[in-house]
Every structure is written in structure tokens, then in C-alpha cells.
Amino acid sequence: MPPGASRGDEATETELALVRKELLAEDVVRLTLAPAGGGPAPAWAPGAHIDLLLGPRGERQYSLCGDPGDTSVLQVAVLREPDGRGGSRYVHDELAVGSTVRVRGPRNNFPLVEAASYLFVAGGIGITPLVPMIAEAGRRGAEWRLLYGGRTRSSMAFAGELAERAPARVRLCPEDESGLLDLDAVLAAPREDTAVYCCGPEPLLAAVEQRCTSWPAGALHTERFAPKSPRDAGRPGSFEVVLAQSGRTLAVPADRSVLEAVEEAGVPVLSSCREGTCGTCETGVLEGVPEHRDALLSEAERDTGDVMFICVSRCRGGRLVLDL
């Protein structure tokens, strides 16, 4: 698990009621959810996300974007994705105030570390996990800046309130007005005291990572919506997995994931996204070298090799021993 991350009781499901639904920006709605049976909402910290369990439409992960100090509700912002799998369309078009939805989590793979200064870089809906981080940085008395890009000003959720809150610290860059984000201007000179947080589409994340190669190790923190392609992954091959808790040995063929092999053997394993982005299926590695294909672990954590996300990651040799 990334240092400082808190998965929470990821197996716990809560039934929440939709108490407010509002349009934040073009194709972005904010959902305010309260426990259906009363009482406090699950506790969380900036960077956390929840899984919305949408029945036959599957599960979707959304970053929490409200105030962690408000224990009465949880809030997420959902972008309509016309080419998606249907979850966002259901949320936009069918989920109505008064409806209930089951939620798993919160889980946090993107925690806000302690730092004297923060640089936040957002692209599109990637602003959502950064909103509570910015508020927390302010509460800590830390310096912070935000560079926020989107297709158009009208598509950029939270843009107005962030700019109004701290106009000197927020730079809004709608692409149709000012082009792409000027990353060189903010990342060219590494700073020892600054943590960089970035969330958004893959081209933005890749560009930020490239420019942060000269920054101190651990300065950059990212969250992805899709798995990161492994740089040196070979062709998928078969291997064995030993389940240490039962002593069983399973064959993982080239066309199956470790998760699928474990499930087919009747071993219960919690999972959600199945694409290496949510962190639900994190599993301890006792022996062997994983081939990491997730979007969560840092390079240092990958080198340690003591955990893997079995929905996508594989084996660099012929055998893994897992804490299952």
C-alpha cells in the first residue's frame, strides 16, 4: 500500500440515499449522499474514493470531493462519459433524489502527505480529489498552488469557487482560451519542500511524470482513471500461484488473471475495478517477483515487491507465493 494510505474497511458496504443532485459544470453532476438509515457517514480523508455499486451496470469508483469534517454526507462528482460502460449515463439520467445506492469504502490510495508546500495539477474531472486536498493544505497553513486545465471553462467543475477562494494561487487554463497547461513553467525547477499532486487524463499524467524525473524521489503523487501500461512487460505467459494460507497451488494461464484463477478455484477475494486502479484486490507477496501492471504503486513500492494487485499484475518468473 502506498505510504500513508488508508484502505479503510474496504469490505464494508453502506446504503446511502441521494439527497441532492446538482449540475456543477458541463456534463458533470455532484451527488450528495446521506446514510439511508440515519447516523454518520463513513469517515474519510482527502484523496479517498468510494465504489458506487450500480447493480447490473457494475461498480464505479469516484473520488470524494466534499468536506471530510462534515460527517452527515458524502459527495462525489461524476462526468458523463458517452463512450463508457453505462455507469455515468445511469447516474446522470436515471439516478434521482430519493434513490438509494450501495457504496463500498471509502478507500484511500492517494493520501495527502505532510509538506511545506503543494503544487496541484488537475486535468478535467481530475480536479475532484484535489478539492478537499486544497482545503486541507489551507487548514495546515501550507503554501499551495493549483494549475487546472480543461476543454472549456464551462466544462471545469469547481473552477469558479476555487478561483474565488484564492485567485492568486489558482491558474485556470481552458484549452480553447489558452491552450495546453504550461507544465514547464511550474515544474522546470525542482523544489525540495514541495509535494506535487496530479490527477487527470493519461497524457497529462505522463507529461507531469516526465518533467518530475529530476525532482526529489517521492515528490510526485498521481492518481489514474485507467491502468498504466507497463514499460517492460513481456508477452503474457503462464505461471503458478501458491496460496500460502491453504497450501493450494493454482495454474494461471496466459489468458487469465491471478484474480480470475483464484476466483475459479473458489477462493473468495474482494475486488472491484478489475483494471488495477482502485486498490481493492491488494495482496501480499511472500515469494516470487511480481510483474506490476497497476496504476497505484510507486516505482519504489514496485521494487519492494511485497504486494501486488492481482486483477492485472502477473509474475516475472514461474511461481508466486501469495498471502491468500
Side-chain angles (χ1 to χ4, degrees), residues 149-315:
R151 292 182 295 102
T152 63
R153 192 174 295 269
S154 62
S155 72
M156 297 168 64
F158 301 104
E161 64 184 74
L162 288 167
E164 183 177 341
R165 182 190 307 173
R169 301 186 184 198
V170 174
R171 183 177 178 188
L172 303 180
C173 301
E175 188 175 347
D176 63 340
E177 298 178 21
S178 53
L180 298 176
L181 296 178
D182 186 358
L183 298 176
D184 291 328
V186 295
L187 294 172
R191 293 181 56 181
E192 292 286 341
D193 63 345
T194 299
V196 181
Y197 276 79
C198 180
C199 186
E202 182 59 33
L204 172 63
L205 290 162
V208 170
E209 286 177 333
Q210 190 276 326
R211 286 164 175 80
C212 283
T213 53
S214 60
W215 281 62
L220 175 60
H221 307 262
T222 62
E223 183 164 64
R224 282 178 157 80
F225 303 136
K228 182 179 180 179
S229 299
R231 292 176 304 178
D232 54 355
R235 295 179 61 185
S238 61
F239 55 95
E240 288 186 340
V241 167
V242 178
L243 309 184
Q245 295 178 23
S246 65
R248 298 179 64 182
T249 298
L250 308 177
V252 182
D255 62 347
R256 290 285 190 275
S257 68
V258 177
L259 175 62
E260 289 170 332
V262 170
E263 289 178 331
E264 289 169 5
V267 179
V269 179
L270 194 64
S271 66
S272 180
C273 73
R274 294 179 177 262
E275 59 180 17
T277 59
C278 75
T280 308
C281 67
E282 179 181 4
T283 301
V285 178
L286 304 179
E287 294 180 27
V289 181
E291 181 183 274
H292 296 290
R293 300 187 176 192
D294 63 272
L296 296 162
L297 297 175
S298 68
E299 290 303 317
E301 291 159 350
R302 290 178 178 224
D303 291 342
T304 300
D306 56 357
V307 298
M308 66 184 291
F309 298 96
I310 60 174
C311 64
V312 291
S313 297
R314 301 188 67 80
C315 178

Side-chain angles (χ1 to χ4, degrees), residues 60-99:
R60 301 293 186 274
Q61 293 77 45
Y62 297 109
S63 297
L64 290 165
C65 59
D67 177 4
D70 184 352
T71 60
S72 64
V73 297
L74 298 177
Q75 291 184 325
V76 296
V78 180
L79 171 69
R80 179 191 291 275
E81 299 183 75
D83 299 325
R85 294 172 291 167
S88 68
R89 292 195 298 275
Y90 169 77
V91 168
H92 274 253
D93 299 337
E94 300 182 47
L95 194 61
V97 171
S99 301

